[in-house]
Amino acid sequence: MSTAYLASTALMGVLAIAVVAWMIRGRGWYQYSPGSSTSARSPAGDREGWFESYADKPMVWVAVFAVLVVGLLVGVVASISGPVETQAMAGAAVAVAGGAVLCGYLLFGVYLSATRRGHPRSLAVAESATVAGVLFLIAVSLQLLA
């Protein structure tokens, strides 16, 4: 039985390395990047420019993805090994972290795609809030059904 777990772990490790290698070698799928038309920027605009400069770099996304995967793998290993108290706490932490990553990915993805399509920030925030509301309704529905 432990041999099957080791083989599964090795296979998933190879697949994760293949995905990271493919992402590193991949080319950008878009060329247009909207720029700021104002020359005088506020400190908030400087922070936003810093964020956008890193958001356009694929290696940053690969590094963030790798850190999230390693963190979740450590949590999964902690949830399946060790004392029962550690298993329960680590399992709950992995579930909460996974849910937070998924919700953050959805909300930030909606906001970023809306601003990239040229929507004003207020509309992008409204679209993200709508997605947050839908996620909340789904969570309440699942809670009621369970």
Side-chain angles (χ1 to χ4, degrees), residues 3 6 14 19 27 30-31 41 47 50 57 65 70 79-80 84 87 89 94 101 103 107 115 125 129 143-144 146:
T3 306
L6 289 175
V14 169
V19 166
R27 289 182 272 168
Y30 63 90
Q31 298 297 324
R41 296 182 63 124
R47 282 193 306 268
W50 175 81
K57 295 180 181 178
F65 176 76
V70 169
S79 70
I80 60 174
V84 176
Q87 289 178 358
M89 189 169 51
V94 167
V101 167
C103 291
L107 296 176
T115 54
V125 169
Q143 188 71 19
L144 291 174

Side-chain angles (χ1 to χ4, degrees), residues 3-102:
T3 306
Y5 286 135
L6 289 175
S8 173
T9 302
L11 178 64
M12 294 310 284
V14 169
L15 288 175
I17 290 171
V19 166
V20 169
W22 176 72
M23 288 173 64
I24 289 172
R25 292 186 43 194
R27 289 182 272 168
W29 55 271
Y30 63 90
Q31 298 297 324
Y32 175 73
S33 178
S36 175
S37 61
T38 61
S39 59
R41 296 182 63 124
S42 66
D46 290 339
R47 282 193 306 268
E48 183 177 304
W50 175 81
F51 177 74
E52 287 179 358
S53 68
Y54 281 111
D56 287 337
K57 295 180 181 178
M59 284 305 296
V60 171
W61 289 104
V62 170
V64 168
F65 176 76
V67 166
L68 286 174
V69 167
V70 169
L72 287 175
L73 284 177
V74 167
V76 168
V77 168
S79 70
I80 60 174
S81 63
V84 176
E85 298 84 22
T86 306
Q87 289 178 358
M89 189 169 51
V94 167
V96 168
V101 167
L102 177 65

